[in-house]
Amino acid sequence: QVQLQESGPGLVKPSETLSLICTVSGDSVIRNGHYRAWIRQPPGKGLEWIGSLYSTGSTYSNPSLNNRVTISVDASRNQVSLSLSSVTAADTAVYYCATFAQTDAIYLWGPGTVVTVSS
Amino acid sequence: DIVLTQSPGTLSLSPGERATLSCRASQSVRSNYLAWYQQRPGQAPRLLIYGASSRATGIPDRFSGSGSGTDFTLTINRLEPEDFAVYYCQQYSRSPLTFGGGTMVDIK
């Protein structure tokens, strides 16, 4: 059974960089034809796609985040990481790791991790 | 970006009733690459419907999706207590992936 688990600091100071890790179990982090993605949900609000890493190594991010997003993979640890720079209170959210295939819906989600941006 | 508008914002119904949720896209969703998710409090979203009308694995047949182009509908027949939750539509036809604002189905 494939599982995703997010981890990282629950509290980040404004202007700093938020760093999260998604550990994949039961599957290779690089699965042919699949994306590993990050999605977030501010408190009481809807879902926002942050970015994705494809099995070829290509990365894509939401233009609304103004080039603050870096997504990378550590195949030796079976992990995908997210870095979001210059955070503000608006980046406070539950951050989810997720998986989907090309031209397919998101079929697997991690449980999410809460990140609060505050001094 | 493709903007998805869900209506109503909240739907108050009783167990056993039918729920009809709408998702309207600002432009045509290519190949009906439209999904529906259910989110219960404190949980991650769960895929219900993909390709506008195909049920995901393990999803009961009381859930059905329909529509094409810019107008899509999620129907839940005979609401069960566990169906009271928030529902989101999402398009995956064009980057960036976008979600609707959600419809909360609560108990009347």
Side-chain angles (χ1 to χ4, degrees), chain A residues 24-75:
Chain A
V24 180
S25 58
D27 191 14
S28 171
V29 66
I30 301 175
R31 180 171 179 155
N32 190 38
H34 285 68
Y35 294 84
R36 304 295 183 186
W38 289 95
I39 293 161
R40 70 180 182 178
Q41 185 171 36
K45 296 187 178 180
L47 300 158
E48 179 183 33
W49 172 69
I50 299 169
S52 305
L53 179 141
Y54 190 52
S55 53
T56 58
S58 296
T59 58
Y60 308 87
S61 61
N62 196 325
S64 70
L65 294 171
N66 300 320
N67 298 315
R68 297 192 291 130
V69 175
T70 302
I71 298 175
S72 59
V73 64
D74 184 340

Side-chain angles (χ1 to χ4, degrees), chain A residues 41 45 47 49 96 106 109-110, chain B residues 37 39 43-45 88 96 99:
Chain A
Q41 185 171 36
K45 296 187 178 180
L47 300 158
W49 172 69
Y96 295 101
I106 302 167
W109 298 72
Chain B
Y37 301 88
Q39 187 177 35
Q43 295 186 15
Y88 293 96
F99 294 85

Side-chain angles (χ1 to χ4, degrees), chain B residues 38 40 46 55 59-64 75-83:
Chain B
Q38 177 193 68
R40 296 173 177 144
R46 175 176 72 139
R55 270 187 304 276
I59 302 303
D61 62 7
R62 64 179 181 273
F63 291 91
S64 63
T75 302
I76 313 170
N77 287 311
R78 303 178 307 279
L79 282 164
E80 298 283 345
E82 62 268 27
D83 299 337

